[in-house]
Amino acid sequence: MTAARDEPVDAEVVEEPRTEIEWPEIEPPPGWWQRLPRWRRHDDEPPEAPGAQVVQLHKAPPAPVPLTVERAPSKARAVVARVTDRGLPAPRQVAVSAGWWARTLAQIVPWLPVLIVKELRPILRGIGRVASWWARIVAVKHLFEAAKKAEGNKHSADMKAAHKAQASRVVVSIAIVLAVVGVTWWQLVVHPWAVAGVGVALLALFDLIGRAGRPAEEQVFLPTGPIVEGIPLSSLRAEIARSFEEQGIEATIAMPHPAEHGWTVDYHTRAAVEDEHLRQVERDLNVRRNGITQIMERGRAAVGTLHVMLRDPLARVVDSPDPGELSIYQPLPLGVTASGQEWTEHLLRTHFTVIGASQSGKSSCFWQFTDVLRRCPEQELDAIDLTEGPAFGASRRAFRQRAFDEESALRVLTEAVALCKTRNAELNRLAEDDDTPDDYDEKWQPTPAEPQRTVLIDEFARVAENKDLLPLVEYLLRYGAKAAVTVGIAGQGATLADFGTSVVRGQVMLKVMFACGRDDVLWLFGKDARNSGYRPDLLEPANGASINDAGKCYVMSSMSRTAEPRRAYRLEQAEVRRRDRELGSRDRADVMTIDAVEVPPALGAVEAAFRAADDPERMATKELLAWLRAGGLELDEQALADRLRPTGLRPRDKRWRPTPGANAVRGYYLADVQAAIRRLS
């Protein structure tokens, strides 16, 4: 018998041919090392003597090793063993494999977000449909509608049953949700792969539900790049429809109609199309910035029209034409619209405001307002500018009186409030008089003898800071329109801090906004109007030699109900001065003199002296006496005061310096002279 191979190497071997001793074999416990190959040399075997059997003896046999039974290796250990049994791949093979995986992932990974987003929309739509369906089940609207139709005790009983059914369904829904969450959590711990499979199946189901009822229509999309004239109208329609669909808006797009500068596209949708959606459509069509505007139909809330303009219809600056004689009872021209029509507005008994940043075209528009109003014989103008700017200097003959300080502004506004109260009292008297015709107009009808008075206020923020002036403006805004005493406000901002009161936002019926800030638009126009396309915050004022969007504006009034942009007529200061000299003075004192109002000789002489001096705002007493002497009336200071006292005209206590360094003087104001003549009329 051959001895075991794994005998100790250092044991002494004694060969005895006569005897044979056999020791029991001790098998080592099985282990992974048994699978490792064992190598031995040929001379490891002991030589055998001829005719004799070899017996291996141990001088000191080892102690017997107890037998141990080990479990079979696990699957994981088997996998590790198979991997460790393999030899390492060659470096070139590793490099080739790594390059292939890198190229494959580089092609797949960038498209994963696109695929996820593309598939996520129908999945979310399916989830929404299921949630909406379940909400309708829980709401039990049919039970409540049936209960509303019932009468008497049956109504109460049916309502109670409907509430009970609704409550029970809510409880069942909550129980189902809790049960699903609990089972999912338990299965996630025990069988995570099964939960993942069920989740994938549910996503597929939601995807099918979301895609149901939405037939895929063959559409022809535009190539990459901006759209151009002459493209197929069906392609333009398909591109707009795709843009709406990608934004989550279900809309029916009509076939576009060619227009002068682009196209008009009608649409119908149940969702609100806001300004952010229009800006996205601009990017999808790759048209010019602010090239798409929206016109909503007031009679049909779900119908609108998109104006897609390839070219800017307001790019050309239009100079103010000479309108000739006008009337306050007709719409007055102010500019042009994007559709090519003349922009006109009704200013009869209408408060208005013009807002714009510096270099936006606001001053030119304000001059246009002044020019058209002064041409109306039923209109008179006052002006207030506490910054002493040039807004009212170039057209100074158009105004009855101008105020450049707080005291003068207080006088102008006080007179306007007094006129408003007088006219409202007269309207009240007519309403109470039985002899008044039943069809009389309850509002003041301006005439050349009793014209509409409009107080133009530039840089209104300075007036809003004054606690004495702001209440008077608020009174005129609230009660002046019916009495034909209106206010025209201009400023660089349109927030509560700029106006000082929210009355302006509610009482001003004509709002014109040039390039300004986002907060100005939100406060004056409102969020809904901004979302509907009123975006003067997208306009850019002039910058150096570039006019940008200077002169362009958005208008909200009774005649301008859409977000169509407009451009005010350009009226430069040199043209304003020329027209002012040509039209001459239109103050009410001249009108009263022409109408042969009888005034005392002294008052008439003072009025003539002011007119000969080119209607200055004020005149020192010594200077006035010199003008009177030149006209043939010799009076001293006391005699002049005595003759004017019956008319209520007297010099003011306020003193001023005619020139720097000169002594302060007192004198008479043109506004006081005109007021005295009006009192006599």
Side-chain angles (χ1 to χ4, degrees), residues 26 71 125 224 244 297 303 359 403 453 461 490 593 606 612:
I26 301 175
R71 293 186 303 174
R125 189 185 300 117
T224 303
F244 274 11
E297 291 193 19
V303 177
Q359 302 296 319
R453 181 180 299 181
T593 304
V606 170

PDB file of all heavy atoms in Angstrom, residues 26 71 125 224 244 297 303 359 403 453 461 490 593 606 612:
ATOM      1  N   ILE A  26      -5.434  10.082   7.221  1.00  0.00           N
ATOM      2  CA  ILE A  26      -6.191  11.223   7.779  1.00  0.00           C
ATOM      3  C   ILE A  26      -6.383  12.243   6.659  1.00  0.00           C
ATOM      4  O   ILE A  26      -5.420  12.818   6.152  1.00  0.00           O
ATOM      5  CB  ILE A  26      -5.444  11.852   8.959  1.00  0.00           C
ATOM      6  CG1 ILE A  26      -5.222  10.806  10.060  1.00  0.00           C
ATOM      7  CG2 ILE A  26      -6.206  13.067   9.490  1.00  0.00           C
ATOM      8  CD1 ILE A  26      -4.400  11.298  11.221  1.00  0.00           C
ATOM      9  N   ARG A  71     -19.774  23.839   5.296  1.00  0.00           N
ATOM     10  CA  ARG A  71     -20.808  24.016   4.288  1.00  0.00           C
ATOM     11  C   ARG A  71     -20.193  24.301   2.924  1.00  0.00           C
ATOM     12  O   ARG A  71     -19.095  24.808   2.825  1.00  0.00           O
ATOM     13  CB  ARG A  71     -21.737  25.169   4.668  1.00  0.00           C
ATOM     14  CG  ARG A  71     -22.558  24.882   5.907  1.00  0.00           C
ATOM     15  CD  ARG A  71     -23.566  25.999   6.130  1.00  0.00           C
ATOM     16  NE  ARG A  71     -22.899  27.293   6.239  1.00  0.00           N
ATOM     17  CZ  ARG A  71     -23.560  28.458   6.326  1.00  0.00           C
ATOM     18  NH1 ARG A  71     -24.885  28.452   6.306  1.00  0.00           N
ATOM     19  NH2 ARG A  71     -22.893  29.581   6.421  1.00  0.00           N
ATOM     20  N   ARG A 125     -49.186  63.445 -17.429  1.00  0.00           N
ATOM     21  CA  ARG A 125     -50.552  63.643 -17.885  1.00  0.00           C
ATOM     22  C   ARG A 125     -51.436  62.466 -17.479  1.00  0.00           C
ATOM     23  O   ARG A 125     -52.588  62.641 -17.076  1.00  0.00           O
ATOM     24  CB  ARG A 125     -50.573  63.821 -19.403  1.00  0.00           C
ATOM     25  CG  ARG A 125     -51.936  64.260 -19.935  1.00  0.00           C
ATOM     26  CD  ARG A 125     -51.949  64.311 -21.463  1.00  0.00           C
ATOM     27  NE  ARG A 125     -50.962  65.246 -21.957  1.00  0.00           N
ATOM     28  CZ  ARG A 125     -49.926  64.906 -22.704  1.00  0.00           C
ATOM     29  NH1 ARG A 125     -49.747  63.642 -23.044  1.00  0.00           N
ATOM     30  NH2 ARG A 125     -49.078  65.814 -23.121  1.00  0.00           N
ATOM     31  N   THR A 224     -34.103  74.500 -38.908  1.00  0.00           N
ATOM     32  CA  THR A 224     -33.453  75.340 -37.918  1.00  0.00           C
ATOM     33  C   THR A 224     -33.081  76.688 -38.540  1.00  0.00           C
ATOM     34  O   THR A 224     -32.505  76.741 -39.625  1.00  0.00           O
ATOM     35  CB  THR A 224     -32.198  74.648 -37.387  1.00  0.00           C
ATOM     36  OG1 THR A 224     -32.585  73.381 -36.848  1.00  0.00           O
ATOM     37  CG2 THR A 224     -31.544  75.479 -36.306  1.00  0.00           C
ATOM     38  N   PHE A 244     -46.597  75.561 -28.494  1.00  0.00           N
ATOM     39  CA  PHE A 244     -47.619  75.539 -27.452  1.00  0.00           C
ATOM     40  C   PHE A 244     -47.663  74.183 -26.755  1.00  0.00           C
ATOM     41  O   PHE A 244     -47.804  74.095 -25.527  1.00  0.00           O
ATOM     42  CB  PHE A 244     -48.981  75.856 -28.061  1.00  0.00           C
ATOM     43  CG  PHE A 244     -49.267  77.332 -28.151  1.00  0.00           C
ATOM     44  CD1 PHE A 244     -48.278  78.254 -27.931  1.00  0.00           C
ATOM     45  CD2 PHE A 244     -50.526  77.794 -28.476  1.00  0.00           C
ATOM     46  CE1 PHE A 244     -48.520  79.612 -28.010  1.00  0.00           C
ATOM     47  CE2 PHE A 244     -50.798  79.145 -28.563  1.00  0.00           C
ATOM     48  CZ  PHE A 244     -49.786  80.055 -28.332  1.00  0.00           C
ATOM     49  N   GLU A 297     -59.707  88.806 -27.292  1.00  0.00           N
ATOM     50  CA  GLU A 297     -61.071  89.244 -27.550  1.00  0.00           C
ATOM     51  C   GLU A 297     -61.820  89.341 -26.224  1.00  0.00           C
ATOM     52  O   GLU A 297     -61.852  88.378 -25.457  1.00  0.00           O
ATOM     53  CB  GLU A 297     -61.783  88.256 -28.484  1.00  0.00           C
ATOM     54  CG  GLU A 297     -61.238  88.262 -29.902  1.00  0.00           C
ATOM     55  CD  GLU A 297     -62.165  87.525 -30.843  1.00  0.00           C
ATOM     56  OE1 GLU A 297     -63.349  87.343 -30.481  1.00  0.00           O
ATOM     57  OE2 GLU A 297     -61.715  87.130 -31.930  1.00  0.00           O
ATOM     58  N   VAL A 303     -60.508  82.856 -26.947  1.00  0.00           N
ATOM     59  CA  VAL A 303     -60.063  83.133 -28.315  1.00  0.00           C
ATOM     60  C   VAL A 303     -59.105  84.315 -28.289  1.00  0.00           C
ATOM     61  O   VAL A 303     -59.331  85.304 -27.581  1.00  0.00           O
ATOM     62  CB  VAL A 303     -61.262  83.420 -29.245  1.00  0.00           C
ATOM     63  CG1 VAL A 303     -60.784  83.771 -30.640  1.00  0.00           C
ATOM     64  CG2 VAL A 303     -62.192  82.214 -29.290  1.00  0.00           C
ATOM     65  N   GLN A 359     -34.836 109.555 -21.600  1.00  0.00           N
ATOM     66  CA  GLN A 359     -34.540 109.248 -22.997  1.00  0.00           C
ATOM     67  C   GLN A 359     -35.497 108.214 -23.591  1.00  0.00           C
ATOM     68  O   GLN A 359     -35.145 107.513 -24.548  1.00  0.00           O
ATOM     69  CB  GLN A 359     -33.088 108.744 -23.147  1.00  0.00           C
ATOM     70  CG  GLN A 359     -32.031 109.700 -22.658  1.00  0.00           C
ATOM     71  CD  GLN A 359     -31.996 110.992 -23.462  1.00  0.00           C
ATOM     72  OE1 GLN A 359     -32.119 110.975 -24.672  1.00  0.00           O
ATOM     73  NE2 GLN A 359     -31.837 112.105 -22.771  1.00  0.00           N
ATOM     74  N   ALA A 403     -46.595 127.097 -12.688  1.00  0.00           N
ATOM     75  CA  ALA A 403     -46.102 127.121 -11.307  1.00  0.00           C
ATOM     76  C   ALA A 403     -44.808 126.323 -11.246  1.00  0.00           C
ATOM     77  O   ALA A 403     -44.766 125.164 -11.675  1.00  0.00           O
ATOM     78  CB  ALA A 403     -47.136 126.530 -10.357  1.00  0.00           C
ATOM     79  N   ARG A 453     -60.685 122.548 -17.900  1.00  0.00           N
ATOM     80  CA  ARG A 453     -59.378 122.941 -17.381  1.00  0.00           C
ATOM     81  C   ARG A 453     -58.573 121.677 -17.073  1.00  0.00           C
ATOM     82  O   ARG A 453     -59.040 120.795 -16.347  1.00  0.00           O
ATOM     83  CB  ARG A 453     -59.494 123.789 -16.133  1.00  0.00           C
ATOM     84  CG  ARG A 453     -58.125 124.237 -15.578  1.00  0.00           C
ATOM     85  CD  ARG A 453     -58.246 125.077 -14.346  1.00  0.00           C
ATOM     86  NE  ARG A 453     -59.002 126.309 -14.610  1.00  0.00           N
ATOM     87  CZ  ARG A 453     -59.239 127.256 -13.704  1.00  0.00           C
ATOM     88  NH1 ARG A 453     -58.784 127.081 -12.454  1.00  0.00           N
ATOM     89  NH2 ARG A 453     -59.912 128.336 -14.013  1.00  0.00           N
ATOM     90  N   ALA A 461     -43.470 113.021  -8.970  1.00  0.00           N
ATOM     91  CA  ALA A 461     -42.921 112.528  -7.705  1.00  0.00           C
ATOM     92  C   ALA A 461     -42.620 113.662  -6.740  1.00  0.00           C
ATOM     93  O   ALA A 461     -42.766 113.498  -5.515  1.00  0.00           O
ATOM     94  CB  ALA A 461     -41.653 111.706  -7.970  1.00  0.00           C
ATOM     95  N   ALA A 490     -47.100 113.349 -15.529  1.00  0.00           N
ATOM     96  CA  ALA A 490     -45.923 112.772 -16.182  1.00  0.00           C
ATOM     97  C   ALA A 490     -44.872 112.482 -15.121  1.00  0.00           C
ATOM     98  O   ALA A 490     -44.718 113.242 -14.154  1.00  0.00           O
ATOM     99  CB  ALA A 490     -45.361 113.709 -17.248  1.00  0.00           C
ATOM    100  N   THR A 593     -61.414 139.265 -22.894  1.00  0.00           N
ATOM    101  CA  THR A 593     -61.310 140.604 -23.460  1.00  0.00           C
ATOM    102  C   THR A 593     -61.942 140.660 -24.842  1.00  0.00           C
ATOM    103  O   THR A 593     -62.635 141.603 -25.190  1.00  0.00           O
ATOM    104  CB  THR A 593     -59.833 141.021 -23.533  1.00  0.00           C
ATOM    105  OG1 THR A 593     -59.263 140.931 -22.237  1.00  0.00           O
ATOM    106  CG2 THR A 593     -59.686 142.426 -24.068  1.00  0.00           C
ATOM    107  N   VAL A 606     -53.544 147.080 -16.587  1.00  0.00           N
ATOM    108  CA  VAL A 606     -52.572 146.116 -16.041  1.00  0.00           C
ATOM    109  C   VAL A 606     -52.515 144.870 -16.930  1.00  0.00           C
ATOM    110  O   VAL A 606     -51.430 144.335 -17.237  1.00  0.00           O
ATOM    111  CB  VAL A 606     -52.936 145.755 -14.592  1.00  0.00           C
ATOM    112  CG1 VAL A 606     -52.084 144.590 -14.099  1.00  0.00           C
ATOM    113  CG2 VAL A 606     -52.764 146.973 -13.689  1.00  0.00           C
ATOM    114  N   ALA A 612     -48.280 143.207 -23.216  1.00  0.00           N
ATOM    115  CA  ALA A 612     -47.213 143.877 -23.958  1.00  0.00           C
ATOM    116  C   ALA A 612     -45.839 143.368 -23.551  1.00  0.00           C
ATOM    117  O   ALA A 612     -44.902 143.369 -24.359  1.00  0.00           O
ATOM    118  CB  ALA A 612     -47.303 145.388 -23.734  1.00  0.00           C
TER     119      ALA A 612
END
